[in-house]
Amino acid sequence: MPLLQVDPKLLDAANAFRKNPAAGLPPLLAAAGAPHDVQLLVTPLGELKNEQQPELSAKLLDAAGKTATTQLGWEWSAQADASLNLSIAPMLDAEENRQLGIAPADGHVVMSYGAALSLSAGLSGQQSIGAWGQASANLSAGTDARLWWYVQAENRASVVDAAADAARYWLLPNDLEGLLRLAPDPMFWGLRLDLKAQLTAGLSVGAKAGWTAWTYGLDGARAGVGLSVGMDARLQLQHQGGMRLHVRPEQRGGAWGLKLELETLDAHDERFGVTLSAGLDLRALAASAERALRAGWPALDAGRLSALTQPGTALGAQLGELLRAKIANPELEQLALLLFGQRALPDVERQLVDRLTAPLVDALDNASQELASQSADAAQLASDWMERLLGKAAGDTLLGKPSVAKAANAALKAASSALAAELKKLDGEIQAAQAKVKAGASDALDTLLAPLGAFGARLNEELAKLDQNPVSTAIAKALQAYNDARTGLLAALSEAKKARLGITLSEQVQRSRNASLAFEGWFGPNGDRAAAQRLYQALCSGRIGLLGELVDAASAGGCFELGSGWLSETSKLVDSESALLSLFGRDFSSSRVSLIGMRFKADLWGHLSAADANVDIEAVTKNQWLQRSVSLGVYVSLAQRDGQAELSLSLKGAYAARGKATTKAFVQHVVDDYAALLGARTHRDVGLLLNPPVAPENAKAYWRDLVLTLPMALNAPAWRRFEALDPAQVQACFLAHGLDCLDQYYAGMAGFSHTSPSEVLKELADENFKGGGSQQARMLAYLGLYRPGHVSARNPDLDAANRVGIAVQSGTWTDGSRRLSVFHRFAAVLRCARTLHAAGPRLRAILLAEPMQGPPAAFRAGIEPLLMEIRDALEAVAVASETMSGIGIGTFDEGMTWAFNTFVLAMADLIGQLPPGFLLMAAGPGDAQPVPLLLS
């Protein structure tokens, strides 16, 4: 029986309108959503142009509701919506017919009739958690189903006639027998179903608390220090389902049946995140310090401070204006003739000023002691200037000539007048500056300087010299130090961002899984009907699973022919951690992101045909000076070759560093350290290899933008060589290279001040395994005592410390805690080598086990724990910076970490990587290719 039927009264109304359009549109047609140009409904389909094709739509259901309530302290709100529409679409065009496999007969068109059902519902609630936080929850569900029937109609039929005739073809998609009965009918061209469903649930909890602690500011007033902590946690679950089903008639072997094409999707997504934050707000304290500085430290004019320090330089800059204002042109011409052998034409005025300026600057700057003691004589300084200008002997001779004497006297008079005025200003400025600074050197100033330590003591010493020694250099030194300190501290304290400290820790985990089914087959009208029904109903149910037995039964029953069928599954697990430390406007961040991805493809019987998996991890540390990153990835691929399944593994990784702290010295340091470990030759000057720009500013920009990298890779053949090695050889190689890297990195540092890590490790191994095999065997056995997991030096694992014989105290920074952390990571590096070495055989035991049969989900569940082990193993090696790794060692110019170096060197050694191992590279701005920094 058809799903929907046209109301006979509606057909009667349509026929009445067709016979007598002038009577107007009947109410039944208007209620059904007839188009504005109602004449189109009764026009023959063959006479309609594309732009005239009407679309009739009727809303059969439209309902919505909302409600709110309070239960168990939660405020809940709920809403629901539902709608059902029936539509008659325009005629299908040629492209749509091609996509759907429709070929209408001559003199006919194919119409599309659709039904759309939409359902949605939602529930949300929230509750306060004390005065500091709030929890919220939400749940929503929705379904969207769209069903189309494709029915042929004659060109001479109207839309109303076509709809009336088509109603008998509107069957449900799961009615196999009814659809088979329609298959031979030339008017029926099949149906299509698109179904989507989604369910989402979420929960979030957030809390934030703040307190104010009171202290006393530098100005003696009470100042608040803000303390805050916060937490935000979110959980979200989402499930999506979808189906696309297309059924159309197809004739095979003289029998009309149904060709079925099906795509089914089942997707799950889970997300969890938590963020913890803590902050210290010092703005009030900073404001009090600024008030104290402004009150106790008088400001000095920067221009006058320069004049006090170098009076000659300051006055020399004004000499040109003084000469033009005080000396007439005739005198200037005489001086030009005297100095240059020609008159003071405009093109020699600048030369004249330059020639006159230098001797005056020297004369004044050399009289700094007299200036500081207020005993300088303007006339004497002017005479000194003239002597420096002309030379004493030549000056005496030339000044005897009337014309020269007149010009010289005019210049001396003008200079003496200007100098006298300036000296008077200087005297007043020196006395005022001394008074201001000595007044500032009071008890209040001492209080301000005390926290500055050595700088404060030095400044006080210079201030004291103002009473003891009036020499200008002492004054200048004290005033300059005072002014620089005042300017710098006021600028720092005035920025609110720099008066805050904060730390934010975040972790986000996302797990997603998508399963899908792609199916194509033909159902015939004969044979075992029960077997055909079981298979057909399983397909229409939307469930994804093994269908091989049902396919076999239906095929054997003569009622089904399989075209193709595949099951596939993809999954992804992303785990990201980050830490952000903000100190007075400087941000230090560390992040780690790991990804485990899997993809499987099997036939309907569960025979695995292809599989891929990857484990990627990247660690990044960043500050305003430098950014470093380390990435590592292991890749697994299963493919069929000549009927045989083959599993291969490979590895890729890289270290990269860049930033404005990158200098030629930093690059040379990294290259030299790596070359020493590798036993390779390095160039004495990497600048000659990289050829940076010569200009200082351009060179600085070049090094800042340069990217230093160490790429490494093991392709499938190299991995097979690594996998074929004896496990003892692998461990011995990693141990040897690890000891070299540890000694280079930690020698002389706290924890190993008077020894080296290798010596400490030997002593601990001997103490714990006395007389047990070789030295190498004892060290490996000792490192085997450390359990998986990373231990922070600031919060050591006391149980581990007792087990491995290292004395530490929780919460303290000691030599023991550092040694525990270093050797714990070393043990994890060796565990990484063991895990990767055994990964291939373990994966083959799961994926290539006979029979290779089962749903993709079973293969995923089988290898996921091993991939997680590989991820945890790589984390011990993918360390971008020791500064941010929990050990707390390292500087802003540190090079590659010892853990990554150990991994790179050992892998190159084990697979025979030449020459001479994995090469350190550099790429400057504009470089087409990276430049190797080592010599083979």
mmCIF file of all heavy atoms in Angstrom, residues 138-174:
data_model
loop_
_atom_site.group_PDB
_atom_site.id
_atom_site.type_symbol
_atom_site.label_atom_id
_atom_site.label_comp_id
_atom_site.label_asym_id
_atom_site.label_seq_id
_atom_site.Cartn_x
_atom_site.Cartn_y
_atom_site.Cartn_z
ATOM 1 N N ASN A 138 23.858 19.818 28.851
ATOM 2 C CA ASN A 138 22.946 19.944 27.729
ATOM 3 C C ASN A 138 22.841 18.605 27.017
ATOM 4 O O ASN A 138 23.781 17.810 27.001
ATOM 5 C CB ASN A 138 23.411 21.035 26.765
ATOM 6 C CG ASN A 138 24.740 20.705 26.124
ATOM 7 O OD1 ASN A 138 24.816 19.948 25.156
ATOM 8 N ND2 ASN A 138 25.826 21.254 26.670
ATOM 9 N N LEU A 139 21.688 18.384 26.449
ATOM 10 C CA LEU A 139 21.410 17.169 25.689
ATOM 11 C C LEU A 139 20.519 17.554 24.522
ATOM 12 O O LEU A 139 19.516 18.248 24.699
ATOM 13 C CB LEU A 139 20.711 16.130 26.571
ATOM 14 C CG LEU A 139 20.281 14.824 25.889
ATOM 15 C CD1 LEU A 139 21.507 14.032 25.456
ATOM 16 C CD2 LEU A 139 19.410 13.989 26.824
ATOM 17 N N SER A 140 20.903 17.146 23.326
ATOM 18 C CA SER A 140 20.084 17.460 22.167
ATOM 19 C C SER A 140 20.079 16.282 21.213
ATOM 20 O O SER A 140 21.037 15.502 21.150
ATOM 21 C CB SER A 140 20.612 18.716 21.444
ATOM 22 O OG SER A 140 21.909 18.492 20.931
ATOM 23 N N ALA A 141 18.990 16.143 20.493
ATOM 24 C CA ALA A 141 18.842 15.066 19.518
ATOM 25 C C ALA A 141 18.072 15.600 18.326
ATOM 26 O O ALA A 141 17.204 16.470 18.464
ATOM 27 C CB ALA A 141 18.123 13.876 20.142
ATOM 28 N N GLY A 142 18.408 15.094 17.163
ATOM 29 C CA GLY A 142 17.708 15.541 15.967
ATOM 30 C C GLY A 142 17.766 14.495 14.872
ATOM 31 O O GLY A 142 18.725 13.730 14.777
ATOM 32 N N THR A 143 16.733 14.467 14.068
ATOM 33 C CA THR A 143 16.650 13.555 12.926
ATOM 34 C C THR A 143 16.117 14.324 11.735
ATOM 35 O O THR A 143 15.172 15.113 11.852
ATOM 36 C CB THR A 143 15.723 12.367 13.236
ATOM 37 O OG1 THR A 143 16.243 11.627 14.325
ATOM 38 C CG2 THR A 143 15.616 11.449 12.025
ATOM 39 N N ASP A 144 16.726 14.074 10.598
ATOM 40 C CA ASP A 144 16.283 14.713 9.369
ATOM 41 C C ASP A 144 16.199 13.630 8.292
ATOM 42 O O ASP A 144 17.209 13.027 7.934
ATOM 43 C CB ASP A 144 17.276 15.804 8.958
ATOM 44 C CG ASP A 144 16.791 16.591 7.759
ATOM 45 O OD1 ASP A 144 15.584 16.561 7.491
ATOM 46 O OD2 ASP A 144 17.625 17.228 7.088
ATOM 47 N N ALA A 145 15.012 13.340 7.820
ATOM 48 C CA ALA A 145 14.803 12.291 6.815
ATOM 49 C C ALA A 145 14.157 12.905 5.566
ATOM 50 O O ALA A 145 13.178 13.654 5.672
ATOM 51 C CB ALA A 145 13.912 11.191 7.376
ATOM 52 N N ARG A 146 14.721 12.585 4.409
ATOM 53 C CA ARG A 146 14.172 13.068 3.149
ATOM 54 C C ARG A 146 14.051 11.883 2.186
ATOM 55 O O ARG A 146 15.038 11.165 1.980
ATOM 56 C CB ARG A 146 15.057 14.157 2.550
ATOM 57 C CG ARG A 146 15.150 15.379 3.445
ATOM 58 C CD ARG A 146 16.021 16.464 2.834
ATOM 59 N NE ARG A 146 16.113 17.596 3.740
ATOM 60 C CZ ARG A 146 15.225 18.591 3.816
ATOM 61 N NH1 ARG A 146 14.165 18.580 3.001
ATOM 62 N NH2 ARG A 146 15.376 19.582 4.669
ATOM 63 N N LEU A 147 12.852 11.712 1.636
ATOM 64 C CA LEU A 147 12.550 10.582 0.766
ATOM 65 C C LEU A 147 11.975 11.111 -0.545
ATOM 66 O O LEU A 147 11.057 11.941 -0.536
ATOM 67 C CB LEU A 147 11.534 9.655 1.460
ATOM 68 C CG LEU A 147 11.074 8.420 0.711
ATOM 69 C CD1 LEU A 147 12.246 7.505 0.370
ATOM 70 C CD2 LEU A 147 10.033 7.663 1.549
ATOM 71 N N TRP A 148 12.575 10.655 -1.673
ATOM 72 C CA TRP A 148 12.105 11.073 -2.993
ATOM 73 C C TRP A 148 11.658 9.851 -3.787
ATOM 74 O O TRP A 148 12.299 8.795 -3.731
ATOM 75 C CB TRP A 148 13.214 11.768 -3.789
ATOM 76 C CG TRP A 148 13.627 13.114 -3.262
ATOM 77 C CD1 TRP A 148 13.127 14.319 -3.610
ATOM 78 C CD2 TRP A 148 14.661 13.357 -2.319
ATOM 79 N NE1 TRP A 148 13.767 15.322 -2.930
ATOM 80 C CE2 TRP A 148 14.729 14.759 -2.129
ATOM 81 C CE3 TRP A 148 15.527 12.537 -1.599
ATOM 82 C CZ2 TRP A 148 15.618 15.348 -1.254
ATOM 83 C CZ3 TRP A 148 16.426 13.127 -0.725
ATOM 84 C CH2 TRP A 148 16.468 14.520 -0.566
ATOM 85 N N TRP A 149 10.553 10.030 -4.523
ATOM 86 C CA TRP A 149 10.122 9.017 -5.485
ATOM 87 C C TRP A 149 10.234 9.624 -6.879
ATOM 88 O O TRP A 149 9.916 10.811 -7.082
ATOM 89 C CB TRP A 149 8.662 8.623 -5.252
ATOM 90 C CG TRP A 149 8.411 7.951 -3.930
ATOM 91 C CD1 TRP A 149 8.492 6.631 -3.653
ATOM 92 C CD2 TRP A 149 7.976 8.593 -2.725
ATOM 93 N NE1 TRP A 149 8.156 6.386 -2.344
ATOM 94 C CE2 TRP A 149 7.837 7.589 -1.738
ATOM 95 C CE3 TRP A 149 7.710 9.910 -2.343
ATOM 96 C CZ2 TRP A 149 7.437 7.848 -0.434
ATOM 97 C CZ3 TRP A 149 7.321 10.185 -1.049
ATOM 98 C CH2 TRP A 149 7.190 9.148 -0.115
ATOM 99 N N TYR A 150 10.700 8.842 -7.810
ATOM 100 C CA TYR A 150 10.866 9.323 -9.187
ATOM 101 C C TYR A 150 9.882 8.572 -10.084
ATOM 102 O O TYR A 150 9.977 7.340 -10.222
ATOM 103 C CB TYR A 150 12.302 9.100 -9.651
ATOM 104 C CG TYR A 150 13.307 9.758 -8.715
ATOM 105 C CD1 TYR A 150 14.103 8.984 -7.875
ATOM 106 C CD2 TYR A 150 13.424 11.136 -8.680
ATOM 107 C CE1 TYR A 150 14.989 9.583 -7.010
ATOM 108 C CE2 TYR A 150 14.310 11.742 -7.815
ATOM 109 C CZ TYR A 150 15.101 10.966 -6.971
ATOM 110 O OH TYR A 150 15.960 11.549 -6.112
ATOM 111 N N VAL A 151 8.938 9.322 -10.650
ATOM 112 C CA VAL A 151 7.840 8.724 -11.419
ATOM 113 C C VAL A 151 7.728 9.446 -12.762
ATOM 114 O O VAL A 151 7.760 10.679 -12.835
ATOM 115 C CB VAL A 151 6.505 8.814 -10.658
ATOM 116 C CG1 VAL A 151 5.392 8.145 -11.464
ATOM 117 C CG2 VAL A 151 6.641 8.162 -9.281
ATOM 118 N N GLN A 152 7.565 8.644 -13.813
ATOM 119 C CA GLN A 152 7.464 9.186 -15.173
ATOM 120 C C GLN A 152 6.033 9.655 -15.448
ATOM 121 O O GLN A 152 5.062 9.094 -14.927
ATOM 122 C CB GLN A 152 7.875 8.096 -16.163
ATOM 123 C CG GLN A 152 7.961 8.527 -17.607
ATOM 124 C CD GLN A 152 8.594 7.446 -18.456
ATOM 125 O OE1 GLN A 152 9.794 7.365 -18.578
ATOM 126 N NE2 GLN A 152 7.757 6.575 -19.036
ATOM 127 N N ALA A 153 5.931 10.695 -16.251
ATOM 128 C CA ALA A 153 4.605 11.210 -16.637
ATOM 129 C C ALA A 153 4.644 11.634 -18.098
ATOM 130 O O ALA A 153 5.702 11.989 -18.628
ATOM 131 C CB ALA A 153 4.212 12.393 -15.748
ATOM 132 N N GLU A 154 3.471 11.576 -18.755
ATOM 133 C CA GLU A 154 3.397 11.986 -20.150
ATOM 134 C C GLU A 154 3.491 13.505 -20.264
ATOM 135 O O GLU A 154 3.089 14.240 -19.365
ATOM 136 C CB GLU A 154 2.086 11.511 -20.762
ATOM 137 C CG GLU A 154 1.982 9.994 -20.848
ATOM 138 C CD GLU A 154 0.696 9.570 -21.544
ATOM 139 O OE1 GLU A 154 0.035 10.456 -22.140
ATOM 140 O OE2 GLU A 154 0.352 8.379 -21.503
ATOM 141 N N ASN A 155 4.023 13.952 -21.385
ATOM 142 C CA ASN A 155 4.168 15.400 -21.601
ATOM 143 C C ASN A 155 2.833 16.127 -21.575
ATOM 144 O O ASN A 155 2.753 17.292 -21.186
ATOM 145 C CB ASN A 155 4.862 15.675 -22.938
ATOM 146 C CG ASN A 155 6.361 15.384 -22.877
ATOM 147 O OD1 ASN A 155 6.919 15.263 -21.795
ATOM 148 N ND2 ASN A 155 6.995 15.259 -24.040
ATOM 149 N N ARG A 156 1.765 15.439 -21.994
ATOM 150 C CA ARG A 156 0.477 16.113 -22.083
ATOM 151 C C ARG A 156 -0.237 16.186 -20.734
ATOM 152 O O ARG A 156 -1.259 16.870 -20.606
ATOM 153 C CB ARG A 156 -0.409 15.414 -23.098
ATOM 154 C CG ARG A 156 -0.815 13.999 -22.747
ATOM 155 C CD ARG A 156 -1.885 13.477 -23.728
ATOM 156 N NE ARG A 156 -2.312 12.136 -23.418
ATOM 157 C CZ ARG A 156 -1.827 11.034 -23.976
ATOM 158 N NH1 ARG A 156 -0.892 11.153 -24.915
ATOM 159 N NH2 ARG A 156 -2.282 9.844 -23.635
ATOM 160 N N ALA A 157 0.328 15.500 -19.708
ATOM 161 C CA ALA A 157 -0.313 15.534 -18.390
ATOM 162 C C ALA A 157 0.060 16.817 -17.662
ATOM 163 O O ALA A 157 1.140 17.370 -17.835
ATOM 164 C CB ALA A 157 0.114 14.323 -17.573
ATOM 165 N N SER A 158 -0.853 17.302 -16.800
ATOM 166 C CA SER A 158 -0.566 18.471 -15.967
ATOM 167 C C SER A 158 0.066 18.015 -14.660
ATOM 168 O O SER A 158 0.140 16.818 -14.357
ATOM 169 C CB SER A 158 -1.858 19.232 -15.673
ATOM 170 O OG SER A 158 -2.702 18.440 -14.852
ATOM 171 N N VAL A 159 0.523 18.994 -13.888
ATOM 172 C CA VAL A 159 1.112 18.675 -12.582
ATOM 173 C C VAL A 159 0.097 17.947 -11.710
ATOM 174 O O VAL A 159 0.408 16.963 -11.039
ATOM 175 C CB VAL A 159 1.610 19.956 -11.889
ATOM 176 C CG1 VAL A 159 2.031 19.670 -10.460
ATOM 177 C CG2 VAL A 159 2.754 20.575 -12.671
ATOM 178 N N VAL A 160 -1.126 18.428 -11.726
ATOM 179 C CA VAL A 160 -2.165 17.801 -10.897
ATOM 180 C C VAL A 160 -2.427 16.376 -11.361
ATOM 181 O O VAL A 160 -2.527 15.443 -10.551
ATOM 182 C CB VAL A 160 -3.447 18.642 -10.947
ATOM 183 C CG1 VAL A 160 -4.580 17.918 -10.225
ATOM 184 C CG2 VAL A 160 -3.206 20.012 -10.334
ATOM 185 N N ASP A 161 -2.503 16.165 -12.685
ATOM 186 C CA ASP A 161 -2.736 14.811 -13.192
ATOM 187 C C ASP A 161 -1.569 13.896 -12.850
ATOM 188 O O ASP A 161 -1.765 12.731 -12.432
ATOM 189 C CB ASP A 161 -2.904 14.855 -14.714
ATOM 190 C CG ASP A 161 -4.182 15.578 -15.126
ATOM 191 O OD1 ASP A 161 -5.131 15.570 -14.325
ATOM 192 O OD2 ASP A 161 -4.207 16.137 -16.229
ATOM 193 N N ALA A 162 -0.332 14.396 -13.002
ATOM 194 C CA ALA A 162 0.842 13.571 -12.735
ATOM 195 C C ALA A 162 0.886 13.163 -11.273
ATOM 196 O O ALA A 162 1.193 12.012 -10.941
ATOM 197 C CB ALA A 162 2.113 14.336 -13.120
ATOM 198 N N ALA A 163 0.546 14.108 -10.383
ATOM 199 C CA ALA A 163 0.577 13.787 -8.955
ATOM 200 C C ALA A 163 -0.468 12.748 -8.602
ATOM 201 O O ALA A 163 -0.222 11.838 -7.798
ATOM 202 C CB ALA A 163 0.371 15.055 -8.137
ATOM 203 N N ALA A 164 -1.627 12.868 -9.212
ATOM 204 C CA ALA A 164 -2.689 11.902 -8.918
ATOM 205 C C ALA A 164 -2.286 10.504 -9.366
ATOM 206 O O ALA A 164 -2.527 9.509 -8.661
ATOM 207 C CB ALA A 164 -3.977 12.343 -9.591
ATOM 208 N N ASP A 165 -1.637 10.405 -10.517
ATOM 209 C CA ASP A 165 -1.227 9.089 -11.015
ATOM 210 C C ASP A 165 -0.031 8.532 -10.242
ATOM 211 O O ASP A 165 0.135 7.315 -10.119
ATOM 212 C CB ASP A 165 -0.874 9.188 -12.497
ATOM 213 C CG ASP A 165 -2.096 9.490 -13.359
ATOM 214 O OD1 ASP A 165 -3.208 9.207 -12.871
ATOM 215 O OD2 ASP A 165 -1.916 10.015 -14.479
ATOM 216 N N ALA A 166 0.833 9.440 -9.719
ATOM 217 C CA ALA A 166 2.069 8.988 -9.080
ATOM 218 C C ALA A 166 1.848 8.481 -7.667
ATOM 219 O O ALA A 166 2.705 7.774 -7.116
ATOM 220 C CB ALA A 166 3.092 10.129 -9.051
ATOM 221 N N ALA A 167 0.740 8.801 -7.047
ATOM 222 C CA ALA A 167 0.549 8.473 -5.638
ATOM 223 C C ALA A 167 0.653 6.977 -5.360
ATOM 224 O O ALA A 167 1.074 6.558 -4.283
ATOM 225 C CB ALA A 167 -0.812 8.996 -5.170
ATOM 226 N N ARG A 168 0.335 6.138 -6.337
ATOM 227 C CA ARG A 168 0.375 4.687 -6.101
ATOM 228 C C ARG A 168 1.807 4.152 -6.036
ATOM 229 O O ARG A 168 2.020 2.986 -5.679
ATOM 230 C CB ARG A 168 -0.416 3.961 -7.183
ATOM 231 C CG ARG A 168 0.078 4.190 -8.598
ATOM 232 C CD ARG A 168 -0.962 3.725 -9.632
ATOM 233 N NE ARG A 168 -0.548 3.957 -10.997
ATOM 234 C CZ ARG A 168 0.116 3.067 -11.737
ATOM 235 N NH1 ARG A 168 0.399 1.870 -11.210
ATOM 236 N NH2 ARG A 168 0.469 3.358 -12.969
ATOM 237 N N TYR A 169 2.787 4.988 -6.394
ATOM 238 C CA TYR A 169 4.188 4.530 -6.360
ATOM 239 C C TYR A 169 4.908 4.939 -5.061
ATOM 240 O O TYR A 169 6.072 4.625 -4.888
ATOM 241 C CB TYR A 169 4.964 5.129 -7.542
ATOM 242 C CG TYR A 169 4.429 4.724 -8.884
ATOM 243 C CD1 TYR A 169 3.676 5.611 -9.652
ATOM 244 C CD2 TYR A 169 4.679 3.444 -9.394
ATOM 245 C CE1 TYR A 169 3.176 5.237 -10.886
ATOM 246 C CE2 TYR A 169 4.193 3.067 -10.633
ATOM 247 C CZ TYR A 169 3.438 3.962 -11.374
ATOM 248 O OH TYR A 169 2.948 3.586 -12.602
ATOM 249 N N TRP A 170 4.203 5.623 -4.156
ATOM 250 C CA TRP A 170 4.859 6.166 -2.973
ATOM 251 C C TRP A 170 4.938 5.104 -1.883
ATOM 252 O O TRP A 170 4.205 5.129 -0.891
ATOM 253 C CB TRP A 170 4.113 7.396 -2.464
ATOM 254 C CG TRP A 170 4.101 8.513 -3.487
ATOM 255 C CD1 TRP A 170 4.867 8.614 -4.598
ATOM 256 C CD2 TRP A 170 3.261 9.675 -3.474
ATOM 257 N NE1 TRP A 170 4.593 9.747 -5.290
ATOM 258 C CE2 TRP A 170 3.604 10.440 -4.629
ATOM 259 C CE3 TRP A 170 2.264 10.158 -2.622
ATOM 260 C CZ2 TRP A 170 2.976 11.648 -4.934
ATOM 261 C CZ3 TRP A 170 1.649 11.368 -2.925
ATOM 262 C CH2 TRP A 170 2.005 12.105 -4.069
ATOM 263 N N LEU A 171 5.823 4.136 -2.049
ATOM 264 C CA LEU A 171 6.031 3.071 -1.071
ATOM 265 C C LEU A 171 7.230 3.389 -0.185
ATOM 266 O O LEU A 171 8.116 4.175 -0.542
ATOM 267 C CB LEU A 171 6.272 1.740 -1.782
ATOM 268 C CG LEU A 171 5.183 1.242 -2.728
ATOM 269 C CD1 LEU A 171 5.586 -0.107 -3.314
ATOM 270 C CD2 LEU A 171 3.844 1.138 -2.007
ATOM 271 N N LEU A 172 7.281 2.754 0.972
ATOM 272 C CA LEU A 172 8.420 2.912 1.879
ATOM 273 C C LEU A 172 9.650 2.173 1.339
ATOM 274 O O LEU A 172 9.515 1.143 0.661
ATOM 275 C CB LEU A 172 8.076 2.372 3.265
ATOM 276 C CG LEU A 172 7.123 3.232 4.108
ATOM 277 C CD1 LEU A 172 6.754 2.503 5.388
ATOM 278 C CD2 LEU A 172 7.752 4.587 4.417
ATOM 279 N N PRO A 173 10.855 2.643 1.644
ATOM 280 C CA PRO A 173 12.070 2.002 1.103
ATOM 281 C C PRO A 173 12.260 0.559 1.544
ATOM 282 O O PRO A 173 12.914 -0.222 0.839
ATOM 283 C CB PRO A 173 13.198 2.893 1.629
ATOM 284 C CG PRO A 173 12.547 4.190 1.957
ATOM 285 C CD PRO A 173 11.160 3.859 2.399
ATOM 286 N N ASN A 174 11.725 0.180 2.708
ATOM 287 C CA ASN A 174 11.966 -1.182 3.203
ATOM 288 C C ASN A 174 10.947 -2.206 2.694
ATOM 289 O O ASN A 174 10.971 -3.366 3.093
ATOM 290 C CB ASN A 174 11.973 -1.193 4.729
ATOM 291 C CG ASN A 174 10.634 -0.809 5.318
ATOM 292 O OD1 ASN A 174 9.772 -0.274 4.615
ATOM 293 N ND2 ASN A 174 10.459 -1.081 6.599
#
